[in-house]
Structures are given as C-alpha cells and as structure tokens.
Amino acid sequence: DTAVSQTPKYLVTQMGNDKSIKCEQNLGHDTMYWYKQDSKKFLKIMFSYNNKELIINETVPNRFSPKSPDKAHLNLHINSLELGDSAVYFCASSPLGGSSTEAFFGQGTRLTVV
Amino acid sequence: TQLLEQSPQFLSIQEGENLTVYCNSSSVFSSLQWYRQEPGEGPVLLVTVVTGGEVKKLKRLTFQFGDARKDSSLHITAAQPGDTGLYLCAAIRGGYNKLIFGAGTRLAVHP
C-alpha cells in the first residue's frame, strides 16, 4: 500500500489549459502539503492544509487552487497553465506537532507545459 | 538568499571514497532533517537531529548537528553507487509544520 499517492505521474499539456493533480494519504496524518521542485531541484513549499483547512499559502499565483475534501486528500487545480509552471509537483503529509516531524512524500507529478 | 545553504551543489566521486556535505544557516533551529531523493521519487527521511552537538549514525552515514544548532553535516564513508542521489537538509520554520528545504547536494558515485 502506497502511503502517499499522487496522480497522474506525468502530465503534458498546452499553455492556457486547466489541469488537476490528485493526492491521497493513508497514514492518518493531519497535515498535507504541496511542494514544487524546479529544474534545479529546489523544493519549495506552496501550500499546507491541516484537517482540511488551509494553514500555509506561500506567494503562489492565484491560478493555483488547492482543495482538501477531507484530511486524507489534497488536490491541486491549476488554471491557465503557463510555461513556467513546468516542474515536478510533490504532495506530502506529516503528523501535526513537534519540530522533528517527518514528512512523507508522494512520487511526484511531472508537469510539462508546451 | 535561502535559509538553508547546502554545499557543495554537486559532487562526483569514485566508489570507496569518503565525502562530507554541509547544511548551513544563520538561524537557530530546534531540529534539522536530512532527506535523500532518488530520480523519479520523492524525498525520503534519513535522520532527524535535535540536540546541539548530536551525532547520529546510519550504517556508513554519519550526521552531526552543530553545537549552536545552526548547521549540520553528513559524512559518508566508503561511498557506494547506491548512495547516488540528491541529499536535502530541511527544517521546520515558523508554526504549522512549515518544512523548508535547502537546495540540495547532488551526489554521483561511480563504480
């Protein structure tokens, strides 16, 4: 059983399209995240949800809209895709509390905008 | 400027060599984590260091947290091709489990 699973693994789409990435975790964690990893491999936090509530929203364009229907799911919808959105997007989850909390990551979704 | 600075950015070595990679900051952290990411996969936690001066060992990997809790190092003894990957340090910043990462060290170990 995969702990954190994302779909799709690969996504190729044209500029201007709208796309969604789905994430599910079966670890019972309270907190879920979206990270973006650029071509230089820098992993930058985008959003964090705790029990379906948005708690971290880094300076991300409002074309990106996360949604958490329940604490086990966190989806990412992207409107009007741009070339610069091409990256690998990672979903992660962690239990709430403690400064040494481990984050568990999905396998990533490689988004290519053409 | 990143909160966590990792060096070197790239490291290419032969099997059997030793190496050390660093994670530095001007900020003090209550803990620091090291992750390894392999191609096509998400990062996986290797270790968390919590106490200043702490040393933790994971087989051939030795992790140290600086006395002032501002920096950390990862030393690999007798590197093997299986050690190849992206090594990331990370720390919680602010509240709500905001986990931030350094830019990583890309390690390639050649047979």
Side-chain angles (χ1 to χ4, degrees), chain A residues 95-102, chain B residues 30-31 33 92 97:
Chain A
L96 182 65
S99 58
S100 57
T101 302
E102 175 180 359
Chain B
S30 54
S31 68
Q33 302 177 348
I92 297 285
N97 285 10

Side-chain angles (χ1 to χ4, degrees), chain A residues 9 31 33 35 37 39-43 45 48 55-56 58 90 94-103 105-108, chain B residues 2 30-33 35 37 40-45 48 50 86 88 91-92 95-104 106:
Chain A
K9 190 167 171 64
T31 306
Y33 308 85
Y35 282 86
Q37 189 170 46
S39 56
K40 295 185 178 178
K41 302 297 184 184
F42 183 55
L43 203 57
I45 190 167
S48 177
I55 54 173
I56 295 172
E58 294 294 286
F90 284 99
S94 70
L96 182 65
S99 58
S100 57
T101 302
E102 175 180 359
F105 285 80
Q107 283 195 309
Chain B
Q2 293 175 30
S30 54
S31 68
L32 204 141
Q33 302 177 348
Y35 289 77
Q37 184 179 12
E41 302 290 332
V44 175
L45 182 71
T48 301
V50 178
L86 178 68
L88 297 157
I92 297 285
Y96 301 115
N97 285 10
K98 184 178 176 180
L99 187 63
I100 58 161
F101 286 83
R106 274 196 252 190

